[in-house]
Amino acid sequence: MYPKLGQMKEVLVTIQTVYQYLEKLGPKKSFQILKNLGYEKLLSLTGKVPKERLIVLTQKLSEETVVELVNQIPEKILVEMIRENDDDDLVYFIHSLSIADLAIVSKSIPPHDVGLLAKTLGPEASVEVLKSLGIQKSISLLKEIPMRDFLWLVDKIQLQPIIQLVNELSVADCKKWIKQRGLEELPILLKFFGVANVLEIFKKLGMNQALAMMQLLGTREMMELSVLLSKMNLGLQNIPSNLHSKPIVSEKQKSKIPPKKKVAPKKKKVVKRSH
């Protein structure tokens, strides 16, 4: 069965686009790309991405990088990446991260979110976040926090304090904090205590006890108590050595502790005497 006239015209236009695209790159580069990608893959991609953008991107990348990019990132995601990111931002990401890491990021974080991150913080700061925290940790946290909430947090605290804080905490601890306290209090606490002191509190108490204490006292009361304690002339040498730490148990945790069962007194056996 022969293709319809409209379909034939579409195919011819696409083929013409491919050749125009290859012609702009020069014979050597275009031959290498065509040889390593294959005509069908290149034809499919040029049909979904504006020719001008493909030409600009390919001119700024080596043929090896182009081939690796197309082969490692699914076409649907790659097309979305190109659509959601500026050329310069995309090229910076490609040059700054390995293709393997870029493929993991593109499959795990929506390209729209990556584009929003780059447009808001700039590509340099965006790459710094991914590299400082590590690709897997960054992905895990950005799955817990919507991108707009993360950018709100950066706006309130600045980037370096967030990187410093999250670098010291495990993903599990970050998830516990987000689940129980959210993000709203974090800028207030970090501004009041400072990052180093917040980390010292977490280090001393552990995340579970720190959260339980905040639940028990309340945020304001805990801050007021901290101010009060800071004015006292206290020293570790005055703490008796025989005192032991007792974990803080919240009301929620108390309700989970089953009550002790009362042991019924044993009945005395009555021995009947025979007369």
Side-chain angles (χ1 to χ4, degrees):
M1 191 173 179
Y2 295 104
K4 293 179 182 178
L5 185 61
Q7 290 175 325
M8 281 292 292
K9 187 178 178 182
E10 188 179 337
V11 170
L12 289 170
V13 169
T14 307
I15 292 170
Q16 186 183 20
T17 302
V18 172
Y19 278 108
Q20 286 175 347
Y21 162 70
L22 293 173
E23 189 182 14
K24 290 277 186 181
L25 299 179
K28 185 182 176 184
K29 196 169 190 177
S30 59
F31 175 74
Q32 288 296 329
I33 290 172
L34 186 59
K35 178 186 172 185
N36 289 297
L37 286 182
Y39 182 75
E40 286 185 7
K41 193 172 279 191
L42 193 59
L43 187 68
S44 178
L45 191 59
T46 52
K48 292 168 185 169
V49 178
K51 178 186 66 177
E52 293 75 16
R53 292 211 61 196
L54 268 182
I55 290 168
V56 170
L57 284 170
T58 313
Q59 284 174 336
K60 292 183 177 182
L61 302 170
S62 68
E63 55 264 33
E64 292 85 0
T65 303
V66 172
V67 171
E68 202 178 353
L69 198 66
V70 175
N71 283 334
Q72 289 205 33
I73 298 177
E75 186 187 84
K76 185 181 177 182
I77 295 174
L78 184 59
V79 169
E80 197 177 345
M81 277 174 63
I82 295 170
R83 187 174 64 243
E84 295 290 346
N85 291 274
D86 296 335
D87 292 336
D88 289 341
D89 291 349
L90 198 54
V91 170
Y92 186 86
F93 277 118
I94 294 167
H95 283 153
S96 302
L97 300 171
S98 69
I99 300 296
D101 283 344
L102 191 63
I104 293 168
V105 171
S106 66
K107 292 172 189 175
S108 307
I109 304 173
H112 172 75
D113 284 355
V114 177
L116 185 61
L117 186 70
K119 287 180 180 73
T120 308
L121 301 183
E124 296 87 355
S126 304
V127 168
E128 185 184 358
V129 171
L130 295 170
K131 283 189 171 181
S132 298
L133 302 181
I135 300 296
Q136 291 297 345
K137 193 171 189 178
S138 301
I139 289 168
S140 298
L141 292 174
L142 287 172
K143 282 182 177 178
E144 297 294 318
I145 310 170
M147 182 58 75
R148 291 193 179 277
D149 289 351
F150 174 74
L151 292 172
W152 171 84
L153 198 61
V154 173
D155 181 58
K156 293 291 180 185
I157 302 173
Q158 300 306 310
L159 190 58
Q160 286 308 319
I162 293 174
I163 290 175
Q164 186 185 349
L165 180 70
V166 177
N167 255 330
E168 296 294 326
L169 299 176
S170 67
V171 173
D173 280 343
C174 291
K175 285 182 179 180
K176 282 178 191 174
W177 180 277
I178 293 164
K179 188 177 180 181
Q180 293 190 37
R181 305 302 300 186
L183 297 176
E184 293 79 7
E185 294 174 322
L186 204 51
I188 299 166
L189 290 170
L190 289 176
K191 187 176 179 181
F192 181 82
F193 287 106
V195 181
N197 288 329
V198 167
L199 287 170
E200 283 298 319
I201 292 169
F202 288 152
K203 187 178 177 181
K204 174 64 182 172
L205 296 178
M207 184 57 75
N208 289 336
Q209 288 196 31
L211 285 167
M213 188 173 74
M214 288 193 71
Q215 181 69 26
L216 189 67
L217 296 176
T219 307
R220 184 180 183 85
E221 288 76 7
M222 190 184 78
M223 292 164 78
E224 288 174 347
L225 180 63
S226 300
V227 172
L228 182 66
L229 290 172
S230 69
K231 294 176 181 177
M232 297 180 181
N233 187 18
L234 306 172
L236 284 170
Q237 68 275 8
N238 296 326
I239 301 175
S241 58
N242 59 345
L243 283 179
H244 298 288
S245 300
K246 188 178 180 182
I248 298 169
V249 181
S250 66
E251 293 299 321
K252 194 175 180 181
Q253 288 172 313
K254 283 179 184 177
S255 64
K256 290 181 180 178
I257 301 172
K260 290 182 180 179
K261 292 181 181 179
K262 291 182 179 179
V263 181
K266 291 182 180 179
K267 292 182 180 179
K268 291 182 180 180
K269 290 183 181 179
V270 179
V271 180
K272 292 182 180 180
R273 294 181 182 180
S274 55
H275 296 285

